[in-house]
Amino acid sequence: MSDFHEAAKDGLSRSEFEAVLRQVGEERYHNRHPFHHSMTSGALSKAEMQAWALNRYCYQAVIPRKDAMILARAEDPAFRAAWRKRIEDHDGDDGWSGGIARWLHLATALGLDAEAVRSERLALPATRFAVGAYLSFCTNRTLLEAVASSLTEMFSPRIIGERVPAMLARYDYITQDTLAYFSWRPEQASRDADFALAYVLEHADTAERQQQAIDALVFKCDILWAMLDALQHAYGAPGNIPPGAFRPEAGS
């Protein structure tokens, strides 16, 4: 795999810069992770699938919060008008009819208790740390870096295209209704990624800013990868579930 730390050392043309951003996804996006491969091959137990849904909820729930932090720092009203659609996508018009609600439906369709999922108290410590790090990054880094970290959405339709048909084909307890969340995301992610990419290509106008954007995308890929590392460590063989985390055998 490539080291992207000095990818923009001498400055890149617009097309070269975009190519590096896409290469980050090719090499470091979590569709390359063994946990994802186990999921798409049908090798995960129902307990592992439940653990994935429960932990991923923490990430889904923080998305509108990190987007609100980005909105608060943006001075351009046209930017804010476009970016706020992301919050509406996840929260819905009434605060509870968007993507987060659809993810909760996925989790409960897998047999999890809705309140336990919403509380996030059974999530892995590593999940909570990773999600908190992402929120902190988008709060404290430059607006360019925060926007660049969202460019993982360029690769989201690909992983959904791998996951959804595989889950429907290989897990008899999963239905189209279970996976309703994913019927919305490819179009939304593509729209959001197009906007974010255009912003990053325009505003990363020096070698230093290009490198900051590349590093931000690497960071976000690392967040998603670390979350799957934690799931595999805790719920794969032999299983090292930390105290207080979801334990399928106890029904909690």
Side-chain angles (χ1 to χ4, degrees):
M1 292 189 179
S2 300
D3 181 1
F4 296 100
H5 180 62
E6 295 186 344
K9 181 177 180 181
D10 300 318
L12 301 168
S13 69
R14 189 182 180 101
S15 61
E16 289 171 337
F17 178 40
E18 180 176 348
V20 171
L21 293 171
R22 293 188 182 278
Q23 186 183 359
V24 172
E26 287 294 331
E27 297 189 11
R28 303 182 73 128
Y29 195 56
H30 64 298
N31 66 321
R32 296 175 62 93
H33 196 283
F35 190 92
H36 171 71
H37 295 163
S38 294
M39 177 184 290
T40 56
S41 69
L44 292 187
S45 66
K46 188 171 184 179
E48 288 174 299
M49 197 72 80
Q50 289 175 323
W52 166 72
L54 182 146
N55 280 270
R56 178 76 183 195
Y57 178 88
C58 298
Y59 174 80
Q60 301 299 140
V62 86
I63 289 174
R65 294 172 58 202
K66 68 90 180 173
D67 285 329
M69 298 308 299
I70 291 173
L71 267 181
R73 299 166 59 205
E75 297 180 0
D76 180 4
F79 177 96
R80 295 197 301 267
W83 203 268
R84 68 173 178 249
K85 295 174 185 175
R86 296 165 176 257
I87 297 176
E88 295 165 358
D89 287 344
H90 284 84
D91 285 341
D93 294 336
D94 58 358
W96 196 249
S97 61
I100 296 175
R102 285 188 286 275
W103 193 271
L104 183 63
H105 173 71
L106 184 157
T108 56
L110 291 175
L112 294 168
D113 176 73
E115 184 51 41
V117 175
R118 274 198 297 260
S119 74
E120 303 182 20
R121 63 184 176 81
L122 300 179
L124 295 169
T127 297
R128 294 197 295 270
F129 293 155
V131 169
Y134 182 37
L135 179 60
S136 177
F137 185 93
C138 292
T139 302
N140 297 311
R141 294 298 187 101
T142 66
L143 182 60
L144 173 64
E145 290 171 291
V147 172
S149 71
S150 76
L151 288 176
T152 48
E153 289 173 322
M154 292 194 296
F155 321 116
S156 176
R158 179 193 313 166
I159 201 171
I160 292 173
E162 294 170 358
R163 275 180 179 163
V164 171
M167 286 193 285
L168 291 173
R170 295 185 170 94
Y171 301 95
D172 58 9
Y173 52 87
I174 292 179
T175 67
Q176 288 279 5
D177 179 68
T178 306
L179 303 181
Y181 170 86
F182 294 108
S183 65
W184 297 73
R185 278 310 296 161
E187 181 179 352
Q188 292 172 345
S190 294
R191 176 203 70 201
D192 293 343
D194 288 346
F195 178 85
L197 179 60
Y199 181 92
V200 170
L201 293 177
E202 178 182 354
H203 289 84
D205 52 3
T206 67
E208 180 182 7
R209 292 189 185 112
Q210 287 178 342
Q211 191 61 57
Q212 288 174 341
I214 293 165
D215 291 344
L217 181 54
V218 169
F219 168 81
K220 176 63 178 305
C221 287
D222 287 348
I223 288 288
L224 296 171
W225 193 279
M227 289 171 62
L228 293 189
D229 275 349
L231 281 169
Q232 189 164 3
H233 180 74
Y235 297 102
N240 293 282
I241 303 175
F246 171 67
R247 288 186 175 272
E249 69 275 14
S252 60

